[in-house]
Amino acid sequence: MTQTVRWLTDEEQHAWRNFVRMQEKLGARLGRSLQSDSNLSSADFAVLVHLTDVPEGRLRYQDLSRALEWEKSRMSHHIARMVSRGMVAREECPEDGRGAFVVITDAGRAAIEAAAPRHVETVRALFLDHITPEELRTLARISERVVAHLEDGRS
C-alpha cells in the first residue's frame, strides 16, 4: 500500500510547531503554578473541574476517563491517589456491579475553590492578557471545530 505523504508546508510547520510549543509551555507553567500555589497537580485539577461541572459532583469512571482522554489504568491509579488524599470518593454503581462513580468530597471541593482564583489569574497572566478579543474569538472557533471533528469519531 503506497500512500503519498502530505508534508507540511513551511507555513504549516511553523504554525504547528509553535502551537505545540505554546501548549507544552503553558501546560508546564500552569502545572507548576497549581502545584506550588495549591498542592494540586494538573491532573488533580482536571478531575476536580469535571466533577464540579456536574450538579451532583459525581461521574462514572468511564465517562470521566473519556472526558479526560485517559487510559483505564491511568484513571484507576490517579483516582486511587486522590481517594487516599480525601479529594474524591469511589462509589459502587448499584445498577451495574462492574461500574463505579467518582464523587467529589468536601475536601476536594474546598481544594478546587481555593485553587481556582489563583489559577484563573495565572491563565490570564500567561495567556489571555497577550491576545486580543478578536484573536480569542478566532481561537474559540478553531478549537470548537477541531474538538467537534475529534469527538465525532472521524479521526
Side-chain angles (χ1 to χ4, degrees):
M1 180 168 143
T2 321
Q3 188 176 13
T4 304
V5 175
R6 297 184 318 140
W7 296 108
L8 301 181
T9 66
D10 288 344
E11 182 179 26
E12 290 168 336
Q13 188 173 74
H14 176 78
W16 175 248
R17 286 185 178 181
N18 278 295
F19 172 72
V20 170
R21 188 168 182 226
M22 177 187 68
Q23 284 186 297
E24 291 167 347
K25 287 188 171 293
L26 279 172
R29 297 261 179 103
L30 288 168
R32 284 193 300 272
S33 177
L34 271 170
Q35 191 67 54
S36 67
D37 294 341
S38 60
N39 204 30
L40 293 174
S41 69
S42 295
D44 294 336
F45 192 79
V47 167
L48 294 174
V49 164
H50 281 281
L51 292 173
T52 57
D53 279 349
V54 292
E56 42 312 316
R58 65 198 316 255
L59 287 168
R60 287 185 67 122
Y61 260 76
Q62 65 189 23
D63 295 334
L64 183 56
S65 180
R66 191 176 305 117
L68 293 169
E69 299 271 344
W70 287 1
E71 297 295 326
K72 185 179 177 180
S73 63
R74 178 180 182 188
M75 186 71 175
S76 294
H77 286 80
H78 194 81
I79 296 302
R81 287 190 297 273
M82 290 183 78
V83 166
S84 71
R85 291 169 45 220
M87 307 293 241
V88 298
R90 184 182 192 283
E91 290 181 1
E92 298 303 319
C93 179
E95 300 86 35
D96 177 5
R98 297 173 299 167
F101 289 95
V102 179
V103 183
I104 193 168
T105 62
D106 290 341
R109 204 170 286 283
I112 194 164
E113 287 172 0
R118 178 74 178 132
H119 181 67
V120 168
E121 285 304 316
T122 304
V123 168
R124 287 190 179 287
L126 296 178
F127 182 67
L128 294 172
D129 291 347
H130 305 283
I131 62 174
T132 67
E134 180 56 35
E135 289 168 332
L136 182 64
R137 287 187 291 275
T138 299
L139 177 63
R141 286 191 305 272
I142 292 167
S143 299
E144 288 164 1
R145 186 170 54 239
V146 172
V147 167
H149 168 73
L150 294 171
E151 288 180 346
D152 78 4
R154 289 184 293 190
S155 54

